[in-house]
Amino acid sequence: MSGAIESILNETRLFLPPENSAACIASMEQYHALRKRFDADFSGTWGELAEQHIHWRKPFSTVLDDTDAPFFKWFADGEMNVSENCLDRHVDAGFGERTAIIWEGESGEVRQISYAALLSDVCRAANAMRELGVKKGDRVIIYMPMIPEAAVAMLACTRIGATHSVVFGAFSAHALHERIVDAGAKMIVTADGGWRRGKVHALKPSVDMALGEGSNKVEHVMVVRRGGNAVAWQEGRDVEWQQALAGQSDICEPLAVSAEHPMFILYTSGSTGSPKGIVHASGGYLLWSMLTMQWVFDFQTDSDVFWCTADIGWITGHTYSVYGPLACGGTTLMYEGVPTYPDAGRLWKICADHGVTVFYTAPTAIRALIKAGDAWPQQHDLCKLRVLGTVGEPINPEAWIWYRKMIGGERCPIVDTWWQTETGGHMISPLPFATATKPGSACLPLPGVFAEVVDAEGEPVGKGQGGLLVVSKPWPSMLRGIWGDAERYRDTYWNKFGNRYYFAGDGARTDEDGYFWIMGRVDDVLNVAGHRLGTMEIESALVSHPAVAEAAVVGRPDEIKGEAICAFVVLKSGDVESLAGELRQHVTSEIGAIAKPDEIRFTDNLPKTRSGKIMRRLLRDIAAGRDITQDISTLEDHRVIEQLQAQR
């Protein structure tokens, strides 16, 4: 790759943070003071934070071991247990009756689970797993709907030193099979099915199909009865979760493991077509989960109800639905169904019903709810909300403004967080009661995070210039490798700059205040007549038009310009024929003629996964007129493809 990514989005609005002297970080002075601590004593500061926040069975003597870079180790000779840190210590401190999990099923049923009750369930599940032969170091696949038993299974694995790998419940049987085989899984925890859009989405049949595809090491399948759908049963292999736990003791001594013990494997899509298993270690991951809960969300364990809408099949659900909130000793909310069932007010109703104070969701969900109309949030009392967050991709400024006004009542700060599966937790983000925010900017690196924007040779670019987003120092929650493939780990994340930097794969720029603006994946950068343009900025310009609800921009081959800009647009309202030209002119006036779309295709919806991410690879194939050969089993609505292909 050569040449800088051109910065074309101009956003000048600035919003001062609300005053809150009791916040975890209440001012920029406190933020800079903490950053200076890391500058002055990087290793010592991390060590102090680890001693302060983690309950250690055996204290560590070494903070960072970088002798085998990029295979960094943190607190390696220290021993601890993740489950104990998330549960036992809070019960022992007298908070056993505090609500750990509020769960709402799609049909409206509610369960409130205290820390004491959750600890008992986790102990019974851990004992059942041990009885079925699972031991330290074994891998357990968790393929579940968003029900409390999923969190119980995760915590049970960490209690006995097993390594879990959660697979998103919408993945196909083949995708599940690939992950089972790659991980060498010994057990699968699943459910008969879960509720989605008023119907049961079956899961156990996909497990049976996956295990029937070929060789694997799975000995047992534990099945939670949730959907009530009929499932096939293989005697000797399949075990009913409820029966397996019924006879178990609610005491299970947590196993002390090294801080570097593999806590979980989480698979992401690989550019080679085969999924890559991102490995996270126990101690450093849990530390950063706790710190970012406190710094970024100002999480108050005695009063906040925290809701991260992500499924536990993704890293966001791991860190900010389960481990972060529970390690801090607070209350986390889980919801089983989709955001728009039975209507577009479901999220806001849940917030009102359960007194949610901190709400964390994806820009795609926000834009879809903008399209549904303001009447839905206006029906519900959202006065208890105090912090809003976004995750998953850059949020366009106009969606940010709507979120602040309509959901936050213009009083709630918004934390626009940048991070990845590989980073384990937030890396760049505003601090809600310290940072002055700019719509669409992730703002500043968190204390202890050293992020830069560089060119293709690894040299820093000037302010306002687009380049490659890199991290120049290791951090505790960083990935420890790719499961079973050390060379792929080096090639994917480190070789580009000779181990100098972790390369995130994203383009970014910094402005005159040092604020970071994420410009999208480098893979999505367009090369239009020699100009390298980030798709996110063009999408933001389109969505700033009052008639547009959502937009996705991709490139398609062009003989003259190299790539042409193709925009897929979802409207709130308006006449399609008259708006095409108007939108082109709008983009021109917003950011210049070079960014004007060559083609605009209107659609009722964009192709998204069930987690809400836009499938841009799919849009590139459609724009180029290519046949679709990739797996679309996770697509939320297959009718979108038919509509888009009909426009060829």
Side-chain angles (χ1 to χ4, degrees):
M1 191 193 77
S2 61
I5 305 171
E6 296 185 33
S7 176
I8 50 180
L9 183 67
N10 183 27
E11 176 57 56
T12 59
R13 289 170 287 188
L14 182 72
F15 294 85
L16 298 178
E19 291 187 7
N20 182 355
S21 59
C24 292
I25 299 180
S27 67
M28 289 307 290
E29 288 75 17
Q30 291 181 25
Y31 163 80
H32 288 299
L34 189 48
R35 286 201 66 87
K36 287 178 181 177
R37 281 180 60 190
F38 283 103
D39 289 336
D41 185 2
F42 182 76
S43 181
T45 302
W46 281 120
E48 290 172 13
L49 291 169
E51 289 173 351
Q52 177 184 348
H53 289 277
I54 301 291
H55 171 70
W56 296 95
R57 289 288 198 88
K58 175 188 172 186
F60 57 88
S61 62
T62 301
V63 175
L64 171 63
D65 180 355
D66 58 1
T67 56
D68 189 25
F71 297 93
F72 300 97
K73 296 179 180 179
W74 288 86
F75 322 116
D77 60 345
E79 293 184 356
M80 44 83 72
N81 181 274
V82 169
S83 171
E84 183 177 28
N85 273 272
C86 289
L87 301 173
D88 303 60
R89 66 169 170 174
H90 306 313
V91 174
D92 293 344
F95 300 116
E97 296 309 307
R98 177 181 290 170
T99 300
I101 296 174
I102 300 172
W103 174 79
E104 182 166 321
E106 191 180 71
S107 61
E109 66 268 47
V110 174
R111 292 166 59 187
Q112 294 197 11
I113 305 170
S114 69
Y115 271 91
L118 183 59
L119 174 58
S120 293
D121 287 346
V122 168
C123 286
R124 281 191 285 267
N127 285 328
M129 288 180 179
R130 274 181 170 161
E131 189 173 278
L132 292 169
V134 177
K135 58 186 184 299
K136 177 183 176 182
D138 286 339
R139 276 78 63 202
V140 175
I141 296 284
I142 300 173
Y143 183 66
M144 298 274 276
M146 278 290 283
I147 55 178
E149 288 81 2
V152 169
M154 294 166 71
L155 289 160
C157 288
T158 65
R159 198 164 190 86
I160 61 177
T163 299
H164 66 65
S165 183
V166 182
V167 178
F168 181 45
F171 276 149
S172 67
H174 179 68
L176 176 60
H177 168 76
E178 288 185 309
R179 289 154 175 77
I180 291 169
V181 172
D182 189 77
K186 189 173 187 177
M187 172 182 280
I188 299 174
V189 181
T190 189
D192 50 6
W195 288 91
R196 192 172 184 85
R197 297 192 186 281
K199 299 179 180 179
V200 173
H201 169 66
L203 291 170
K204 174 62 161 54
S206 293
V207 172
D208 293 335
M209 291 174 62
L211 294 178
E213 281 196 26
S215 176
N216 62 79
K217 299 178 181 178
V218 173
E219 296 178 1
H220 293 287
V221 178
M222 293 184 75
V223 185
V224 178
R225 296 290 187 179
R226 165 59 187 158
N229 50 305
V231 294
W233 205 258
Q234 183 172 315
E235 292 298 331
R237 185 196 72 181
D238 297 345
V239 179
E240 188 175 278
W241 170 277
Q242 285 88 341
Q243 290 182 358
L245 269 61
Q248 299 296 335
S249 168
D250 62 0
I251 297 174
C252 176
E253 184 68 17
L255 179 69
V257 298
S258 163
E260 279 297 302
H261 179 72
M263 176 181 169
F264 65 86
I265 305 166
L266 195 54
Y267 285 89
T268 67
S269 298
S271 58
T272 63
S274 60
K276 55 181 186 285
I278 304 302
V279 180
H280 278 288
S282 302
Y285 170 81
L286 197 67
L287 172 64
W288 196 231
S289 299
M290 297 178 68
L291 291 175
T292 51
M293 282 295 301
Q294 295 170 10
W295 295 350
V296 176
F297 295 121
D298 189 49
F299 189 46
Q300 305 296 319
T301 58
D302 58 348
S303 58
D304 275 330
V305 175
F306 181 87
W307 186 16
C308 166
T309 65
D311 189 280
I312 55 146
W314 309 111
I315 187 64
T316 309
H318 278 54
T319 307
Y320 300 113
S321 281
V322 180
Y323 291 115
L326 296 179
C328 288
T331 300
T332 184
L333 189 147
M334 295 175 65
Y335 167 57
E336 179 184 31
V338 298
T340 53
Y341 185 85
D343 56 49
R346 187 62 185 268
L347 295 188
W348 318 129
K349 183 179 187 303
I350 292 173
C351 285
D353 288 350
H354 300 294
V356 172
T357 57
V358 185
F359 180 72
Y360 191 39
T361 196
T364 49
I366 295 168
R367 289 191 289 265
L369 293 166
I370 290 173
K371 181 188 175 187
D374 295 350
W376 292 108
Q378 288 171 344
Q379 293 176 21
H380 302 284
D381 183 0
L382 303 177
C383 69
K384 290 192 175 180
L385 287 171
R386 67 182 194 93
V387 177
L388 302 176
T390 70
V391 59
E393 62 181 13
I395 183 171
N396 55 286
E398 294 311 314
W400 192 100
I401 293 292
W402 181 90
Y403 194 32
R404 180 180 185 273
K405 178 181 178 181
M406 190 55 55
I407 308 306
E410 297 187 307
R411 72 184 186 281
C412 297
I414 296 176
V415 289
D416 175 5
T417 61
W418 176 84
W419 60 297
Q420 302 172 310
T421 301
E422 292 86 347
T423 71
H426 304 144
M427 300 292 279
I428 304 173
S429 173
L431 303 175
F433 300 104
T435 310
T437 50
K438 301 178 182 182
S441 171
C443 295
L444 299 169
L446 293 176
V449 173
F450 291 79
E452 299 180 41
V453 180
V454 301
D455 62 21
E457 284 69 48
E459 298 302 317
V461 302
K463 291 182 177 180
Q465 296 181 27
L468 307 179
L469 179 57
V470 299
V471 182
S472 59
K473 288 188 177 182
W475 64 101
S477 68
M478 65 193 301
L479 76 164
R480 296 304 195 266
I482 294 174
W483 183 258
D485 199 338
E487 197 57 37
R488 189 179 183 188
Y489 168 66
R490 288 193 189 92
D491 289 344
T492 303
Y493 302 107
W494 298 95
N495 279 359
K496 182 173 181 61
F497 297 109
N499 284 0
R500 272 196 299 163
Y501 302 127
Y502 164 84
F503 175 43
D506 282 337
R509 64 178 171 91
T510 56
D511 63 18
E512 64 280 0
D513 296 317
Y515 279 31
F516 281 70
W517 297 78
I518 310 303
M519 301 170 69
R521 301 291 297 173
V522 172
D523 292 346
D524 292 332
V525 169
L526 308 180
N527 195 331
V528 181
H531 297 269
R532 302 187 68 255
L533 309 177
T535 56
M536 186 279 290
E537 298 187 311
I538 305 172
E539 292 169 1
S540 294
L542 284 163
V543 176
S544 69
H545 189 283
V548 176
E550 289 189 276
V553 170
V554 298
R556 61 169 171 77
D558 185 271
E559 291 183 0
I560 298 174
K561 296 193 294 184
E563 278 189 294
I565 301 172
C566 183
F568 295 85
V569 173
V570 178
L571 296 176
K572 298 176 188 174
S573 60
D575 178 66
V576 169
E577 294 301 324
S578 63
L579 273 174
E582 185 178 330
L583 289 177
R584 288 192 184 92
Q585 183 55 44
H586 179 73
V587 173
T588 300
S589 62
E590 286 286 306
I591 54 179
I594 187 60
K596 180 172 65 175
D598 297 273
E599 181 181 3
I600 294 179
R601 300 190 189 186
F602 295 97
T603 177
D604 294 334
N605 287 292
L606 296 173
K608 298 175 186 175
T609 66
R610 293 183 184 179
S611 67
K613 288 204 172 186
I614 298 170
M615 299 181 73
R616 286 181 172 82
R617 293 182 187 177
L618 197 58
L619 289 176
R620 283 196 287 269
D621 285 342
I622 292 170
R626 294 189 290 263
D627 292 334
I628 296 171
T629 58
Q630 60 183 286
D631 181 15
I632 59 172
S633 60
T634 60
L635 193 63
E636 175 70 21
D637 185 356
H638 288 255
R639 293 171 298 179
V640 176
I641 301 301
E642 298 173 8
Q643 182 184 14
L644 293 173
Q645 287 181 318
Q647 297 181 22
R648 285 186 182 180

